[in-house]
Amino acid sequence: MPFVPLHELLPDVAEAETRSITLLDEDGDSLGSDFFFEMFCDEPGCDCRRVFIHVASDDPSESQPRAALAWGWEPDEFYRR
């Protein structure tokens, strides 16, 4: 099941909706930022009703996502089928 970033499907929506957090040390200095990128299935006929959210660092030396979160918005019974 292929998942593609929202910015490939709807760039204007992704630009307006992408969120980030900035981590601060105890002195209030920035430790860097993490960005949350939504990814959706683009398989024809798929109705999985899920989104994957990749958490990526703004540090260019980190090429892999820090985390991948999966979320489905339907009741549990839908995903058990």
Side-chain angles (χ1 to χ4, degrees), residues 51-65:
V51 60
F52 283 90
I53 301 169
H54 281 206
V55 182
S57 171
D58 67 347
D59 182 347
S61 69
E62 293 190 34
S63 61
Q64 297 294 319

Side-chain angles (χ1 to χ4, degrees), residues 13-73:
V13 172
E15 184 175 339
E17 295 295 325
T18 298
R19 300 293 183 250
S20 67
I21 59 171
T22 300
L23 307 172
L24 304 175
D25 67 14
E26 52 276 347
D27 296 323
D29 296 322
S30 175
L31 295 171
S33 296
D34 289 337
F35 296 87
F36 297 80
F37 297 100
E38 297 175 49
M39 299 184 70
F40 293 91
C41 180
D42 74 340
E43 190 171 295
C46 180
D47 190 23
C48 64
R49 301 181 196 183
R50 294 188 297 172
V51 60
F52 283 90
I53 301 169
H54 281 206
V55 182
S57 171
D58 67 347
D59 182 347
S61 69
E62 293 190 34
S63 61
Q64 297 294 319
R66 289 185 182 228
L69 311 168
W71 185 71
W73 49 87

